[in-house]
């Protein structure tokens, strides 16, 4: 009853399209759940996503769950996770993404999930790391453990939208620092982030992890720009 009154006073809206949700809907409306652009985690090779990574380092897989476009619903959705405190939304989407991974038996290959760390100062300002929220959801569905220590972001780099991948990449060389490589040495690590545009941040992080002794690395972004 109380919930109903609250719903009338402050109707909950879909995080992607802002339409008022039905009582049976949670976080996303049914239409968005069906229609948000998802390329499928099983892209045949070579594909547009691998083109962002191939030739830069040796890795196994790169996945993305949603496709985002400028001004589209997915971009709006990611904005809520990143800047509007929607941590439960991040976790919910992570659970959904993890259950898709399960369908293809991917998780058996990955031994650890490593969310891209955020600089301490920024985590403090925002109160959470959105990549970690997504990783928690994926871990809940797949039962792959998350590693939250051992790698830090030591520079609060601000990548610029007009920079190309080479420029972004060279500015990212000293952004991450490995403090305890023994936590992931010899393991196949799944690196998780919220969004992927050029892939430069994920590549810089992946190279660091591989150089510090990970057996193999794969990448998963909740949303990627095609
Ligand atoms: Zn919607």
């Amino acid at each position: 009853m109380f919930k109903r009154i609250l719903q009338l006073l402050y109707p909950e809206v879909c995080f992607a399209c802002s339409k008022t949700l039905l009582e049976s809907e949670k976080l996303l409306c049914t239409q968005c759940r069906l229609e948000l652009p998802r390329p499928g985690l099983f892209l045949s090779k070579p594909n547009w996503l691998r083109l962002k990574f191939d030739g830069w380092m040796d890795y196994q897989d790169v996945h993305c769950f949603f496709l985002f476009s400028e001004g589209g619903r997915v971009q709006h959705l990611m904005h809520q996770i990143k800047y509007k405190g929607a941590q439960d939304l991040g976790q919910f989407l992570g659970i959904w993404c993890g259950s898709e991974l399960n369908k293809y038996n991917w998780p058996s290959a990955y031994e650890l999930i490593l969310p891209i760390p955020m600089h301490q100062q920024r985590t403090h300002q925002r109160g959470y790391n959105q990549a970690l929220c997504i990783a928690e959801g994926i871990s809940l569905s797949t039962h792959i453990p998350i590693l939250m220590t051992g790698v830090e972001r030591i520079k609060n780099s601000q990548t610029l939208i007009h920079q190309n991948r080479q420029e972004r990449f060279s500015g990212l060389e000293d952004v991450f620092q490995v403090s305890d490589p023994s936590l992931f040495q010899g393991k196949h690590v799944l690196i998780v982030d919220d969004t992927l545009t050029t892939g430069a941040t994920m590549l810089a992080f992946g190279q660091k992890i591989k150089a510090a002794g990970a057996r193999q690395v794969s990448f998963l972004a909740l949303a990627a720009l095609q």
Side-chain angles (χ1 to χ4, degrees):
M1 181 70 185
F2 184 62
K3 200 185 157 208
R4 274 225 174 127
I5 294 168
L6 268 183
Q7 177 79 359
L8 283 174
L9 290 173
Y10 307 102
E12 285 176 30
V13 296
C14 171
F15 274 110
C17 71
S18 307
K19 271 199 310 206
T20 303
L21 291 176
L22 300 173
E23 214 180 323
S24 58
E25 293 171 335
K26 203 174 161 249
L27 306 172
L28 286 177
C29 74
T30 309
Q31 199 178 357
C32 282
R33 285 187 194 222
L34 295 171
E35 289 178 358
L36 287 178
R38 286 192 283 143
L41 291 159
F42 238 146
L43 293 170
S44 57
K45 298 178 193 175
N47 61 61
W48 59 271
L49 195 52
R50 288 192 80 91
L51 283 178
K52 294 178 191 262
F53 287 71
D54 286 353
W56 291 82
M57 67 174 289
D58 174 42
Y59 68 99
Q60 185 164 302
D61 311 309
V62 53
H63 310 281
C64 77
F65 193 54
F66 292 120
L67 289 179
F68 81 86
S69 51
E70 290 292 327
R73 281 186 283 181
V74 174
Q75 195 189 36
H76 183 69
L77 190 66
M78 300 312 294
H79 188 81
Q80 309 293 311
I81 298 172
K82 221 167 164 168
Y83 303 109
K84 302 287 179 186
Q87 297 172 65
D88 49 347
L89 175 68
Q91 200 183 73
F92 163 79
L93 295 174
I95 291 172
W96 185 6
C97 178
S99 65
E100 289 295 310
L101 282 172
N102 285 339
K103 281 185 194 166
Y104 300 115
N105 204 28
W106 282 108
S108 58
Y110 311 133
E111 295 164 280
L112 267 183
I113 296 173
L114 199 46
I116 301 244
M118 210 156 64
H119 192 270
Q120 214 180 359
Q121 197 185 337
R122 193 170 288 178
T123 316
H124 190 70
Q125 284 164 354
R126 194 172 293 170
Y128 63 98
N129 173 0
Q130 69 278 359
L132 175 60
C133 300
I134 296 160
E136 282 168 349
I138 295 172
S139 177
L140 280 169
S141 303
T142 60
H143 306 294
I144 307 167
I146 306 179
L147 183 62
M148 283 181 283
T149 54
V151 194
E152 294 81 35
R153 191 177 195 128
I154 49 170
K155 268 197 205 163
N156 208 353
S157 63
Q158 196 67 270
T159 49
L160 300 170
I161 204 85
H162 63 263
Q163 283 178 317
N164 64 32
R165 183 171 49 180
Q166 179 63 57
E167 286 166 337
R168 284 193 181 195
F169 195 55
S170 47
L172 285 163
E173 272 165 22
D174 307 315
V175 167
F176 302 105
Q177 175 186 275
V178 175
S179 57
D180 189 356
S182 70
L183 296 170
F184 56 80
Q185 267 167 352
K187 301 243 160 93
H188 186 167
V189 177
L190 180 65
I191 293 168
V192 169
D193 205 0
D194 52 311
T195 42
L196 186 162
T197 49
T198 62
T201 306
M202 281 190 134
L203 273 168
F205 188 69
Q207 284 196 332
K208 205 91 192 176
I209 299 302
K210 196 85 192 281
R215 180 168 50 83
Q216 186 54 286
V217 295
S218 288
F219 301 95
L220 189 155
L222 190 60
L225 184 70
Q226 193 162 9

